[in-house]
Every structure is written in structure tokens, then in C-alpha cells.
Amino acid sequence: MMQPNVAVLFGFGINCDHETKAVFELVGAKADRVHVNRFIQGSAALEHYDILAVPGGFSFGDHLGSGRLLGNRMRFAMRDALQAFVDAGKPIIGICNGFQVLVKTGLLPGPSESASPDFVQRGSLSLNDSGRYEDRWVTLEFDPDSPCIWTKGMTRMDCPVRHGEGKYIMPSEQALDQLAHNHQLTVRYADPTTNPGEGLTDEPLPYPLSPNGSMRNIAGICDSTGLIFGLMPHPEAVYARWLHPHHTRHEAPTEANDDDLSGWEGEGLQIFRNAVEYVRSNR
Amino acid sequence: MRDVRGDVVRRQLAADHGLEVPQVRSITGFLLNGETSSEAIQTRVDDLFADPIIEHGAVNTLLLTTNAFASKPDAVITIGFKPGVTDNPGKAATDGFLTLFPEDTEANIATYLTYVFYGLPATVDVSWLAETLHNNLIERAILADAAMCQRQEWPELHYPAPPEQVFIAPQSVNLEIEDAALIDLSTTGLLALNLEEMQTIQHHYRDAEIRQARKSVGISPNAPTDVELECLAQTWSEHCKHKIFASKIHHVDRETGEDSVIDSLFKTHIMKPTHDMQQEVDWLLSVFHDNSGVIAWDDQWSVCMKAETHNSPSALDPYGGAMTGIVGVNRDILGTGLGARPIANTDVFCFGPPDWEGDLPDNLFHPSRVLRGVHAGVRVGGNESGIPTVNGAIVFDDRYIGKPLVYCGTVGIMPRNLPDGRPSHVKTPVAGDIVYMVGGRVGYDGIHGATFSSLELTEESPSSAVQIGDPITQKKMVDMILEARDLGLITCITDNGAGGLSSSIGEMAEYTNGCEIDLAKVPLKQAGLSPWEILVSESQERMTVAVKAEDQPAFDALAKLHEVEATPVATFTSSGMFHVYHGETTVAYLPIEFLHDGVPQLQLESEWTPPTLAAFSPPSQVDHGQLLHAMLSRPNIASKETWVRQYDHEVIAQTAIKPFVGIERDGPGDAGVIAPIHGESHGLVISCGIAPRYSDIDAGAMAAAAIDEAVRNAVCVGLDVDKMAGLDNFCWPDPIESVKTPDGRFKLAQLVRANRELERVCRAYRLPCVSGKDSMKNDYGSGPDKISIPPTLLFSLFGDHPDVRKSATSDFKHAGDKIYLVGSSSQELGASEVAVMLTESGESQGIGGQVPLLLQPEKNLTTYRALSSTIHQGWVKTAHDCSEGGLAVALAEMCIGGRVGAEIDIDGTGSGDVWGRLWGESLGRIIVAISQENEEAFLAAMKGHPTTVLGEVTADQNLIITDGPDALVAADVEGLVTAWKGTLDLTGGVA
């Protein structure tokens, strides 16, 4: 089977590069950790890759606003390569700090019509209302009608958030309405007591169900094509069931299935598999 | 739009001072020192300095004068760093500025924060307010009070030009002086050397051969240079040489009549047992001599661990001190073998009570402020480095007001062998290798850290000993060095910590027996540093790395790619000499042997007389249910969730048992478990134990309790007890008898007893100590106001976990599960949490009595092994260790984790009375719960081990505890949750 090539960006304080590479490999891709400067200096070429992942971390220490400085490096030094990558219809994911980078570069949410990226910032991610960086598990619910190729078939999952600046903000209700209309509000924080499929709401959920006070409980958005996706929570950190805080509340493997890890796949892996399968089916 | 930075200040004032301010707003300021015109910057403000969606920006205009701040505030406070202090946002801003204006190559940016207060009560003194918001050791604050705000006189900071540094050429220091003058020289120069050590140095320069050799290299033949004296002081410091642990101790025991001599506590009680165990197992790869201890984890990977303390700096600047603590110990891992990757952090803090209302000695911060600062430093250091904090503890005691303890630990992983075949835990330098300084530059910050931490804290403690870490510079360096390692470019590596280059290159030079350093090549933060300052500065984020000459181009290219500064500053030789140049001039010329082995052994006196304490006398009438609520809200027991949740504990996607467990993910985790290889369930357990209160009765019992707690915690999650290793981190008050320390003999006897117990218990547990550290001057002041910390051993443990899918956690799982006590309770309430609480409230005479003892550790080990096997079988999914607060608190925590009730009968659980069995802190006890279908198999496996049925998990929300027919506790679980979670939530909420 065809093995898509994934570029997992790292350097300058990105720190989820190892696990992001690992999850793509677990679903059959070939993934490289590529230092940002290798693209800028030209010792690596973005066009040779099928998928770009901007992992989580603390690029430049989040100073001057999370994602701002790395976003600028990409916006000014990798502009043409990124434009060509997007124009070629290749998927991009930004997780946590990577999402912040994609928002600050303007790749997310991007222009409203299917168009080439214009690198204009339209939204922002600001400090959590609590004022605190926190690591906590939240419940996410996905918009089933989202064009996002990364989240096909997903309804609900538990997932950790680990950020201090995850409050998604847009300057106007109209701007949010526009995204909602296009089903670009791909994933949102949900109340776990609601039924799966009925958790999406515009009404702000209380802390800590919404860990940051995001407008309309937004956890992640996609661009109008559905190829570029960013989210604050960390689906790569749910690649195995043993990473779920409740795993000891369920049965341990028995001798019969001891060697079989397949039953232990975590819910987050599907996001990465979706993109790999998208690339395979579009080749 | 919400101003969260302002909200944080508003909530903190409410939480710490009960001061309600309706609104606080914030301004981030950038002070540019560069050539670019303000017109040019004006067009790019929204690209860099302000977020176009959420912020206002202005150039050359105070935002306070714009429409963004139309209404008049009541106070304005602007805080910036003092000149020369690390300004991380400023550094990032400079980097970002150069992306936009690459031609302005010399540009530098400093930052400040302005807080704007609305509705501030008129009674509040704005100067006081400013004091609470900044640390004048490292920051400056200017302010406008209400009248100034009316007149629109706004505080304005200017670019903090670093003070001029005056280069002083090396001087020779005459040591042919009276003894009193030698002592005076050591004291005034912050050398922290005693008379015998000063005399040893004096004698060195009287040797005719030495004088001849010195003459031949053109350095003052008869006297040390200031560079040499400083270098010796750093290398011979207590901090670097552990002179107390290496000393010859005359020990007298007034209780038993023993009169004996111990030649080095370290060699006798720590090193020897581990070396003996090394004969019997094949997985102890590297112990004691490297920056951390290394064990083989599987055929492909080895793991290592190190813990350090950063107490003195954290007392002066809690934020910066703690941050340099965590990023510093990360570098110990990076500097292990040929370089290991840090994959997990542990943080254990000891503070004064957060609600302290008594007096504070001069120059000391309130414990709540120390807690906030230390926590923030470790949070930023760990989180920004991308290393999960998987385990830790926070301990409170009045005496830690004098000196907080900030233990930071890090676990690392490395391949057993590098791609080029070399085992990665072995350093391979040869003479001729080029020595690089990699990472940050050298500055005036951090001069005298090693010697300073070897002295007690005083009001005059120097601010230059405090630094602020820069995690991003370090992260870039870590990325680069691990790539260099895998490319086979590194022959030797070590961290630049205490003692700076003098220690790092000096220690590495022992491998080849010599080095030549040129201090003129060392990149500086600012010109003008004198040679001795360059050599001993402890400026952060630096590694010392040796590469072969032919590998230099590849190493340089990698540094350039990662934007890491790497400068060759030295060469290894085999000359036997530590030879330091500044340009052409020799400024230090010391024999390697003298530098490392020349320090004379201390001769110390130790005398043990058991302390006499009023016995714990529990009240005859008591409501144990009420007592349980009070105990759960004790800072030592209460949930630390607010603080711990702010650490990233699962980056790297490997943390299988997190600090929080249970249905609501807020129950206490006993130990961290990680599965570090993605896609595999093979795990590693990380735990700790600490019991400083027991030192009040016997520091030996304290040590045994700490070790047992670490093992017990790890067993609870499924440790393989046959493959575990430990770290001993001793923090002691000064144990050397002197005018300042009249009770030095007793404090040294406490150290002797702790070490003897460490050896006894570790041998019984087959638990080798592979690394450790000691910090021996944890006192504040002198005379009647002196505060000495309780002798404190932190015991950290890392060990194998065969399969993380077969783990247990402390939360009760399902109604109907059977609850058992493994181990048994004795009447051991001495120095227990309940004794301390009731003594503080006046309900007990004292805390004296029997302290928990570990009488037969060999038996405990077999019980632990049996229990672990039931977890590995998947039969036991619930286990929790009993420590502070005994059985009652442990059971309450298990109910909280599961949000379920339990019916418990403590009859038959041991020899103690009801106090001993309910609240006693006997060691070796673990509470487990088992589903009924696995009960039989569990009992069969535990046959021959003390295992007593306690009761059953219930669906209703009540914890019911009885002692046979006597009802003791009937408590609603939600009430327990409230009691447990309230005390340490000092956030001021989220509103």
C-alpha cells in the first residue's frame, strides 16, 4: 500500500514532534521530523511531502502571543512553499501550538471561499479565561457535516487539553456565523452528560467543561476546503487506550489476548488515519 | 474583551490579601534599542507586537494616553527587569524583530508589564501593591498613585542598559598571610573554604617543583591567581565535593555507648551497597560517576534518573531559582553518557505553611508567595521544555520558612548503543578532542552559585547568584545535541551547572588527564567580564561537548541549523594540567590531581542523644468523622490539584498513570507510569517518598520511611520490585559544630543514622542507589532566630513495569469490590500528621511516641512482590498506599477517586489501639480492592502475607468505618471531596 510522506515540523520549542511522528507511523505513513530551518534553508523540500503536521509545544516560549513568532517565520520564509502545498490539495494539521501557528499565519480559518491562502489573520487564540495553563481531559464533539477530511466519521471523544492560550476568538458574530454555516467549526467542547451527537452548542459551557472560554465552545476549526485542520486538544495523546485516565477502571488483558495490542487503540488515532487514507484515495 | 493578565492579578490579590479590586488591565511594553525608525515599525506592529484581533498597539506612545484607556485609573504600576537580568520575552521579541528587520542586526528588545487598576480602595498603599507584584532583587517597578493618575503622570521605563563591566586582568593573590587573614580572605571573597583548605592551597604554592613549572608558563610562581583561587573554591565547594558526606566522622551514641569512626558516609553506606548489588544484576550500567545513574531497561533502551535541589536560589527568587532547578536537572540527563533525552520530570517541594500568619525574618518571602513563584518557575521550565511532570509532592512545615526545599528530578532515555556501535552510557574522549561550549552565553549572572549554596542564607546574599532560566534556548540545544549524538559526533558531554566551565571542563579533563582552555574565546552576554568570572559563571543553558577535530564542520553545521551557539573553547590534553589561558596569557595552571583530589578530608564530631518530646496524648472524646474532615484539609494531605494540574503531565504521549486518577480525574495517583516507546506497553514507574516530620524523633526512621514510601507507591501501580533503582537526595541543616551551629554534633548524628538506615533498607529491598545529591546548609540566620529545616531525605525511585495495561490506581472502581489491607498497623503515632494537628490545636501534649519503624524490610519486600504479581495478573486494579493520616485518609482518598462509598471494619488490622489502626502511619501498608471474581485468586497469591479484609465498596456515597461494634466514621463522600480540595486552591477562582 502507498505510504504517504508526512513532514512533522520541529524546532524552536515545538515539543510534541516525537509522538506526532509516531501516530502517523502507527497508521501506515512514513513520517519525518523536519526542522523548520531545513525547509527555509532548502535542505528539505515541502513539496516532497503529502501531509504537513505542525505539532504542539511552546515555539519561542509563547512570547508575544502563542504561535506568533513561528507563524511569522513560516509566513515570511516559507510562504511560497506553503501556498503551493495548499494549492496542491495536501492536508495540513496543527495541534495546540500548531493550531495557534496556523491561526496566526492566517491559514486557519483562511479565506471564506475555496481560494489560495492569503495569509491574513482572521481569528485568534488568547489566554484561557482562567488565566492558567492546565492539563485536563475534556469531552470533544465533532460536527458530522464538517468538510474536514481529518474528522470523518468521528462523533465524540475524550481528549486532553494542555494549554494556556486556547480561547478561540473572532472579531464578530458574523465571522463565526460564516464559519458555522460552512461547518468549519469542526470540533467543540461538549458536556459529557449529553448524548453523543447532541453535545454541540453555541451556549458557552462553564469551566472546566470548556477549559478556556472559547467562543461557541470551539476546540478546533478547518478551512473551507476541509484540508487544513487545527485544534487545541491533543488527539495524538490518545493514540492508545492505556493513555486514557480511566483505563484501570476497565478490564486488564487476559493471558489469551496479552500479546495483542490492537484492541488497545485509542480514539485519537482515527484522525491521523483519516488523513492517510485521504491521501491514498486521492492519488 | 477580557484582559486575562489583569484578571490574574485581580484574583491573586483577592486570594492572598483579601483585597477586592473591580478591574485590573494590563499593557505589555517593548523597549527597542536599535536603528530601525519608528515609522518603519509602525507598519508592522500588528505583525509582531500586538495581536490584530485582540489587542491595541502603539509605537512611541504610551497606551495609557490613548483611547484604549479613556477612563482614569486609580493606580498604575510598571514592572521591568533590572539591567542584566534574563528577559525571555525580550529575547523572543528580538528574534521576531530580526525576522521582520534583518538589517538591524544589533537590535535588542527589553520588555515590561504595566498593570492599570480601577476601583482600587483609597486605603491601599500603591508602593505595597507594587511590592507584592515584583521581586526587587531582579525587577524594578515604578508607579503612579491616584494623584499622579489625576495629573496624568504615567510611569515610564527606559531600556535597561546593562551596567558597564570593568575587565580586571588576573591578579595574583598573596597567601603568605596569617591564618586569621586566610579565613578573612575566604569569607570576604565568598570562597566558602575553611582554614585547613586555605592552608592546603597555601602549601601548594610553596612547592619548589610547582613554582618552577609555573614560572615556565609565565604565571605568578609563588601565589595563586584570582582565577585559580576561584576555580579551587568552586571545585572544592561543599556543593561540588560533598565534603561532609566524604568526611571522617567520630560518632558517639549516648543511647548505646557506641564510639566509632566512619570514613565517608557516602562510600560506606551508599556506594558500597550499590557496588555490591552491581555484582549480582546485569542491569546497573552506570552508577555515581556520571551526571545521572543509568540502568538497562530492555535490550534496546536504557533509562537514567537524577534529582537535584535548588533551595537557596529559590529562597531569594522563587520563580527564577526553581526554573533554573528544573532546566538544570534536565541538563544532567542530557549530559549523561553521550547524551540522554529527558522524558519525565518530578518535583517535590517543601514550604512553610501557605496560611502562615506569624512573623517572617527579614529578606524572606511569605510561604504562599514562595509556593506561587516556585510553582510558576517549575511549570514554565518543565512545560516549555516539553517534558511531562509525572510525579511529585508538596510538604509543609513551619521550618521550611527559613529555607524552602525545591527538589527537581528528571528521567531520561537513551538507546543502549548508538548507530556507530558505541554504548551510549560510556563517554569516550581522547586527548586532542575539541571542547565546545554550547547553548547560552556567559554573563555576570550566576557567579558564586556553588559557593553561595554552601553558606547559610543571610540578608546580604548576593543577587548575582540568582538567574532566570531560558527553556527555549535550552530546548533548541537539546534538539541539536541529540541529533549530534545520533550522528556519532559527541565523544564527551557534561552540563554546565555549579562552578560553570571550571567544573564542567575540569571534570571532563579527568578522563584524558588535562585540558587547555582559552577564556577569550568564550562568547559573553556583555563585554568586560574578568577571566575568573568567565571561568566560574553559572549562566544557564550551557553544555560542554567534546567532538573530534574532523567532526567539527558537521557539528558547526548542526548548530547553525538549530540556531544554537556552539563555540570551541578548549582542547583535551594529557598534560596532567588544568591549563587556562585568556588569549596568549596563562591565567590558571593547576594540576588536575590537585584540583580534584587535593581537598583535605574533613574530620567531624557526631553525638546522638535521643530527643525527648512530650508524648502524643489523644483526647478521650473525639468525633473521628470530624477529625477526618480536618485531616483531609491539612495542607500536607489536601489535594494539590490546582498546582499540579498546571504541569503538563502527558506530553510525549506516554503517561499511562497520571498524577490524577479516578472517575472525575481528581483522585491522587500514587506513582507515575510511562510507556516511553510509542506503540509498546512496556512501562517505567516513577515514584518518591518523603517523611521529614519523623526526623523530630529519629532521622534514621525518617530515612527508612521515605524509602518504604517510595517503594510502596510504586508497588501500588504495578512496579516489578526486582528491577528498581533509587536516588537519595539529602537536605540537611548545617551539621558541623561551630559557634553558629552549637548543635552540630546532634545534626551530624542524625545524618549518620539516616545513612545507616538507608543502607539497611536498600540492601533488604535490593534497591541500589544509582545517583544522589546532598544540600547541607539549609539554615537561615544565626543565634536565637536561627531557623534550621528538619533533616529531609527525598527518596526517588524508578523501576520496571512489565505492561502498563496491567496497572492499578487508587480510586475505588465498582460497588461490591472487596477491600483488603495488605500489611498491618502498629501503635505508631509518633510525629504523625494527626499528632501534629492535635498538638497544634492544643488537644495533645505533643507529637512524641513511637515513630513508624521498618523492622523486617525483607518480609515487606516479599509481600510487595506478591502484591505486584496480582496486579500483573490483572486481578488487582485498585491499590493505594497508607502514609500521612493512615488508613482513614487513604480510604477517604479512594472513595474520592471513585466517588463511591465503602463500608469498613478496622477490627483485626493490627496491634494498635483505635488511634493506631485508624490514624497511625505504620509502614508497609497498602489498601487494595478486588472484584469478587478475582478475590480467590488474590487471596491465594497473598497467602503467607499479612492480608486482612476491611470491607466492601458500596454504591451509596458514604464512607462508613467501624471498629468491631464501635462506629467511628460516617461521612458523605462529597463532603470529603470538599474538605480535601479546598485548602490549597489559592487561585481566587476563575471569575
Side-chain angles (χ1 to χ4, degrees):
Chain A
M1 212 184 312
M2 178 245 177
Q3 239 192 341
N5 286 311
V6 184
V8 177
L9 220 53
F10 87 108
F12 303 115
I14 287 175
N15 62 36
C16 298
D17 41 322
H18 286 275
E19 60 264 42
T20 304
K21 170 180 152 74
V23 292
F24 276 108
E25 291 184 335
L26 285 170
V27 293
K30 182 184 177 307
D32 296 328
R33 290 165 59 242
V34 187
H35 195 282
V36 181
N37 277 352
R38 303 225 315 129
F39 285 131
I40 294 174
Q41 291 177 359
S43 58
L46 190 57
E47 59 184 316
H48 291 154
Y49 291 93
D50 304 302
I51 296 173
L52 172 66
V54 189
F58 273 91
S59 58
F60 295 96
D62 275 0
H63 299 303
L64 285 78
S66 56
R68 165 75 51 198
L69 295 175
L70 184 58
N72 276 356
R73 291 252 184 153
M74 292 171 66
R75 194 152 61 109
F76 297 116
M78 290 175 63
R79 191 183 180 108
D80 294 343
L82 280 169
Q83 189 129 24
F85 195 86
V86 175
D87 290 344
K90 295 177 175 180
I92 300 178
I93 190 169
I95 302 168
C96 195
N97 194 217
F99 180 33
Q100 293 160 340
V101 167
L102 297 185
V103 168
K104 305 287 169 86
T105 58
L107 283 171
L108 281 176
S112 57
E113 295 300 320
S114 269
S116 205
D118 57 6
F119 298 95
V120 172
Q121 183 181 339
R122 292 181 172 79
S124 195
L125 287 148
S126 82
L127 291 165
N128 297 349
D129 278 353
S130 69
R132 297 194 292 275
Y133 175 103
E134 286 191 333
D135 177 342
R136 61 166 69 246
W137 281 61
V138 295
T139 302
L140 300 178
E141 189 150 310
F142 297 85
D143 179 347
D145 299 319
S146 176
C148 184
I149 64 108
W150 294 84
T151 59
K152 284 276 173 283
M154 302 193 70
T155 305
R156 180 175 280 201
M157 69 181 280
D158 294 339
C159 195
V161 290
R162 313 192 305 251
H163 61 248
E165 298 183 36
K167 178 179 177 173
Y168 187 75
I169 286 177
M170 291 195 87
S172 68
E173 287 297 319
Q174 294 86 325
L176 284 165
D177 288 343
Q178 180 71 41
L179 291 191
H181 178 75
N182 294 341
H183 296 282
Q184 287 175 254
L185 307 181
T186 307
V187 55
R188 303 203 237 176
Y189 305 109
D191 181 343
T193 61
T194 57
N195 290 321
E198 295 169 11
L200 293 176
T201 172
D202 288 350
E203 277 305 301
L205 291 171
Y207 169 90
L209 296 180
S210 164
N212 47 35
S214 265
M215 288 180 167
R216 302 194 188 183
N217 306 307
I218 293 169
I221 58 173
C222 66
D223 74 336
S224 60
T225 68
L227 287 165
I228 309 178
F229 175 47
L231 75 171
M232 289 311 300
H234 285 273
E236 81 286 3
V238 201
Y239 85 83
R241 264 175 48 209
W242 62 71
L243 299 174
H244 194 293
H246 289 170
H247 77 92
T248 60
R249 300 183 65 82
H250 306 291
E251 293 305 305
T254 61
E255 262 174 69
N257 61 9
D258 212 12
D259 295 333
D260 182 14
L261 293 183
S262 62
W264 283 76
E265 175 173 326
E267 293 172 292
L269 211 51
Q270 187 59 35
I271 288 185
F272 305 95
R273 184 180 287 119
N274 278 336
V276 165
E277 283 174 359
Y278 173 84
V279 171
R280 281 184 182 143
S281 62
N282 283 274
R283 271 290 178 86
Chain B
M1 225 168 265
R2 201 186 249 270
D3 184 331
V4 175
R5 261 188 214 95
D7 283 349
V8 168
V9 167
R10 185 172 55 76
R11 290 174 195 140
Q12 193 175 313
L13 291 173
D16 283 4
H17 307 288
L19 174 62
E20 300 288 344
V21 183
Q23 194 187 14
V24 183
R25 294 181 62 190
S26 69
I27 299 168
T28 312
F30 299 91
L31 301 164
L32 172 72
N33 186 19
E35 304 294 325
T36 309
S37 72
S38 51
E39 291 75 28
I41 296 170
Q42 185 72 54
T43 61
R44 310 304 292 271
V45 168
D46 283 354
D47 279 332
L48 183 63
F49 297 107
D51 185 308
I53 309 295
I54 53 178
E55 292 173 327
H56 301 283
V59 181
N60 277 358
T61 311
L62 283 181
L63 272 179
L64 283 163
T65 64
T66 68
N67 281 340
F69 288 83
S71 54
K72 287 279 165 302
D74 302 306
V76 176
I77 298 172
T78 291
I79 298 166
F81 289 108
K82 282 188 170 171
V85 175
T86 303
D87 178 351
N88 287 324
K91 210 179 212 176
T94 306
D95 189 295
F97 187 79
L98 290 174
T99 303
L100 301 181
F101 302 98
E103 61 285 354
D104 197 351
T105 52
E106 297 298 309
N108 254 307
I109 294 175
T111 59
Y112 65 80
L113 268 172
T114 299
Y115 296 107
V116 187
F117 297 82
Y118 295 92
L120 186 73
T123 50
V124 174
D125 175 2
V126 182
S127 307
W128 169 84
L129 191 58
E131 283 301 310
T132 69
L133 294 174
H134 85 292
N135 179 357
N136 60 22
L137 199 63
I138 54 165
E139 290 167 320
R140 52 201 177 129
I142 50 172
L143 49 90
D145 59 18
M148 292 168 76
C149 289
Q150 274 308 321
R151 297 196 299 270
Q152 305 195 29
E153 288 172 23
W154 307 120
E156 199 169 355
L157 277 180
H158 299 283
Y159 183 82
E164 203 69 18
Q165 289 294 321
V166 183
F167 180 90
I168 301 170
Q171 322 266 315
S172 68
V173 183
N174 179 20
L175 293 187
E176 295 302 334
I177 50 180
E178 296 295 317
D179 288 354
L182 282 176
I183 284 294
D184 195 45
L185 180 63
S186 171
T187 312
T188 54
L190 275 179
L191 300 178
L193 295 170
N194 67 21
L195 179 60
E196 197 190 350
E197 289 156 355
M198 289 298 284
Q199 286 170 335
T200 305
I201 297 172
Q202 182 188 52
H203 283 283
H204 176 75
Y205 291 92
R206 288 176 181 169
D207 185 309
E209 271 184 48
I210 299 279
R211 289 183 171 185
Q212 188 54 41
R214 294 176 64 80
K215 211 168 177 177
S216 70
V217 296
I219 190 168
S220 62
N222 306 341
T225 60
D226 53 2
V227 182
E228 292 176 314
L229 203 52
E230 290 286 346
C231 177
L232 285 165
Q234 299 300 319
T235 311
W236 290 9
S237 66
E238 174 57 41
H239 188 99
C240 294
K241 270 281 175 266
H242 311 286
K243 291 182 284 196
I244 294 169
F245 264 79
S247 69
K248 188 167 278 181
I249 296 174
H250 174 220
H251 178 67
V252 174
D253 188 328
R254 295 286 169 214
E255 206 178 5
T256 63
E258 178 193 345
D259 187 320
S260 59
V261 172
I262 304 155
D263 187 1
S264 174
L265 287 170
F266 173 64
K267 284 188 179 148
T268 310
H269 297 300
I270 300 172
M271 202 179 210
K272 178 75 166 48
T274 294
H275 282 156
D276 288 349
M277 285 180 242
Q278 204 170 16
Q279 302 299 313
E280 295 164 23
V281 297
D282 59 0
W283 46 265
L284 282 173
L285 297 182
S286 168
V287 292
F288 302 123
H289 70 272
D290 205 339
N291 289 314
S292 71
V294 187
I295 68 171
W297 181 58
D298 66 13
D299 292 343
Q300 287 188 306
W301 300 94
S302 50
V303 291
C304 54
M305 188 172 180
K306 173 65 171 264
E308 289 225 310
T309 51
H310 232 224
N311 308 335
S312 297
S314 301
L316 295 178
D317 174 23
Y319 176 76
M323 197 207 285
T324 49
I326 190 70
V327 295
V329 73
N330 293 164
R331 286 197 306 276
D332 277 319
I333 296 305
L334 188 62
T336 296
L338 296 170
R341 184 158 84 95
I343 55 166
N345 283 337
T346 64
D347 307 301
V348 176
F349 307 142
C350 301
F351 297 131
D355 55 353
W356 178 254
E357 287 178 358
D359 293 338
L360 284 176
D362 290 346
N363 214 26
L364 293 181
F365 290 118
H366 189 274
S368 68
R369 185 158 174 185
V370 178
L371 165 62
R372 272 187 207 292
V374 165
H375 171 266
V378 165
R379 181 193 74 221
V380 170
N383 291 359
E384 294 192 8
S385 302
I387 303 166
T389 297
V390 300
N391 188 246
I394 308 179
V395 177
F396 298 96
D397 185 285
D398 295 358
R399 290 162 287 183
Y400 294 121
I401 289 173
K403 185 86 83 93
L405 303 185
V406 177
Y407 293 96
C408 298
T410 302
V411 177
I413 192 165
M414 56 181 152
R416 294 282 295 270
N417 294 296
L418 295 183
D420 63 16
R422 285 180 298 159
S424 56
H425 65 278
V426 182
K427 300 186 199 290
T428 57
V430 293
D433 285 356
I434 308 299
V435 184
Y436 278 78
M437 188 181 95
V438 181
R441 295 184 153 217
V442 171
Y444 186 68
D445 52 343
I447 288 176
H448 278 149
T451 48
F452 158 64
S453 71
S454 306
L455 299 166
E456 81 277 11
L457 210 53
T458 66
E459 289 169 47
E460 290 84 35
S461 298
S463 64
S464 69
V466 175
Q467 309 156 68
I468 295 176
D470 173 4
I472 297 306
T473 292
Q474 178 151 321
K475 174 70 174 142
K476 291 193 288 185
M477 177 177 75
V478 172
D479 287 347
M480 179 226 158
I481 281 177
L482 292 176
E483 282 197 9
R485 176 198 71 183
D486 291 339
L487 291 170
L489 302 179
I490 295 176
T491 67
C492 196
I493 179 169
T494 199
D495 145 51
N496 273 288
L501 289 172
S502 87
S503 291
S504 69
I505 301 183
E507 282 167 23
M508 287 190 355
E510 276 193 287
Y511 284 97
T512 64
N513 198 31
C515 65
E516 290 183 1
I517 309 175
D518 184 356
L519 297 176
K521 289 184 178 160
V522 175
L524 304 177
K525 289 184 181 171
Q526 60 182 122
L529 247 61
S530 304
W532 74 267
E533 293 174 318
I534 300 171
L535 190 62
V536 305
S537 168
E538 296 170 8
S539 289
Q540 293 288 302
E541 293 86 37
R542 292 181 299 147
M543 297 297 288
T544 297
V545 182
V547 303
K548 299 210 167 305
E550 65 261 32
D551 288 333
Q552 279 188 272
F555 193 77
D556 293 341
L558 210 51
K560 185 163 181 272
L561 175 78
H562 287 265
E563 299 183 22
V564 171
E565 195 157 24
T567 315
V569 298
T571 309
F572 284 141
T573 66
S574 54
S575 66
M577 298 304 291
F578 184 74
H579 192 163
V580 184
Y581 295 88
H582 188 275
E584 301 289 306
T585 318
T586 291
V587 298
Y589 193 67
L590 291 164
I592 294 277
E593 200 182 347
F594 180 66
L595 184 61
H596 289 293
D597 302 321
V599 61
Q601 189 182 29
L602 287 175
Q603 315 276 330
L604 300 177
E605 292 294 327
S606 160
E607 184 177 317
W608 173 252
T609 314
T612 45
L613 296 171
F616 172 55
S617 51
S620 50
Q621 292 293 319
V622 74
D623 178 339
H624 286 285
Q626 235 169 33
L627 208 56
L628 178 58
H629 286 86
M631 285 286 280
L632 287 173
S633 59
R634 298 276 295 168
N636 276 328
I637 290 170
S639 169
K640 279 81 182 171
E641 180 178 354
T642 300
W643 306 98
V644 177
R645 194 164 289 297
Q646 296 181 55
Y647 304 136
D648 189 331
H649 46 256
E650 50 199 326
V651 59
I652 314 184
Q654 58 177 4
T655 313
I657 304 293
K658 307 176 209 293
F660 303 107
V661 302
I663 189 81
E664 298 292 335
R665 300 149 186 161
D666 59 359
D670 284 298
V673 176
I674 58 174
I677 304 302
H678 295 120
E680 294 178 18
S681 63
H682 184 195
L684 188 72
V685 181
I686 297 132
S687 69
C688 68
I690 187 166
R693 283 264 172 74
Y694 297 170
S695 288
D696 287 352
I697 295 175
D698 178 6
M702 179 278 293
I707 301 165
D708 186 56
E709 187 184 12
V711 175
R712 230 159 52 222
N713 276 325
V715 166
C716 285
V717 296
L719 168 77
D720 172 1
V721 295
D722 293 313
K723 192 170 182 181
M724 57 180 176
L727 310 180
D728 55 286
N729 283 80
F730 288 85
C731 284
W732 234 251
D734 186 358
I736 301 178
E737 186 179 35
S738 68
V739 178
K740 280 187 296 189
T741 311
D743 56 352
R745 288 180 186 222
F746 173 71
K747 287 168 173 167
L748 190 60
Q750 289 183 304
L751 188 65
V752 169
R753 294 176 74 82
N755 273 275
R756 287 178 170 178
E757 279 296 275
L758 177 84
E759 173 175 2
R760 182 181 72 90
V761 175
C762 284
R763 280 190 187 273
Y765 281 174
R766 318 302 302 150
L767 170 54
C769 292
V770 295
S771 182
K773 208 79 191 253
D774 53 89
S775 162
M776 305 303 290
K777 309 275 169 170
N778 293 291
D779 309 275
Y780 175 87
S782 56
D785 298 328
K786 179 169 176 170
I787 306 174
S788 292
I789 64 151
T792 308
L793 169 68
L794 168 68
F795 199 85
S796 311
L797 180 148
F798 63 123
D800 195 41
H801 192 303
D803 186 341
V804 302
R805 296 173 300 165
K806 297 161 177 178
S807 301
T809 48
S810 71
D811 48 313
F812 282 137
K813 307 294 186 302
H814 308 291
D817 288 356
K818 284 300 193 54
I819 304 168
Y820 281 86
L821 176 67
V822 175
S824 69
S825 310
S826 307
Q827 189 68 7
E828 295 177 318
L829 288 151
S832 63
E833 188 67 27
V834 78
V836 174
M837 181 175 82
L838 293 176
T839 303
E840 282 175 5
S841 68
E843 290 165 85
S844 164
Q845 298 292 313
I847 64 164
Q850 183 58 59
V851 71
L853 294 176
L854 199 56
L855 294 173
Q856 293 178 297
E858 295 81 3
K859 280 197 174 171
N860 288 32
L861 181 66
T862 61
T863 302
Y864 293 157
R865 187 180 286 118
L867 179 57
S868 275
S869 77
T870 67
I871 296 172
H872 298 158
Q873 292 291 336
W875 298 331
V876 171
K877 307 293 289 179
T878 303
H880 189 31
D881 130 79
C882 287
S883 51
E884 293 96 337
L887 204 69
V889 164
L891 286 164
E893 288 174 343
M894 297 173 87
C895 289
I896 291 170
R899 292 297 199 277
V900 287
E903 278 181 22
I904 303 292
D905 182 355
I906 63 167
D907 189 21
T909 52
S911 59
D913 66 12
V914 68
W915 285 86
R917 282 174 289 128
L918 192 60
W919 302 108
E921 298 178 2
S922 293
L923 305 178
R925 295 178 305 161
I926 292 171
I927 300 174
V928 300
I930 312 110
S931 66
Q932 292 184 7
E933 67 191 73
N934 291 322
E935 191 179 8
E936 204 180 308
F938 166 77
L939 288 174
M942 295 304 292
K943 199 160 185 240
H945 304 286
T947 307
T948 315
V949 66
L950 284 173
E952 194 172 299
V953 179
T954 57
D956 67 6
Q957 297 284 310
N958 290 308
L959 171 61
I960 311 288
I961 306 178
T962 59
D963 182 17
D966 301 332
L968 299 176
V969 173
D972 165 54
V973 172
E974 274 312 314
L976 300 176
V977 171
T978 307
W980 189 61
K981 290 181 77 163
T983 306
L984 292 179
D985 178 11
L986 308 173
T987 57
V990 294

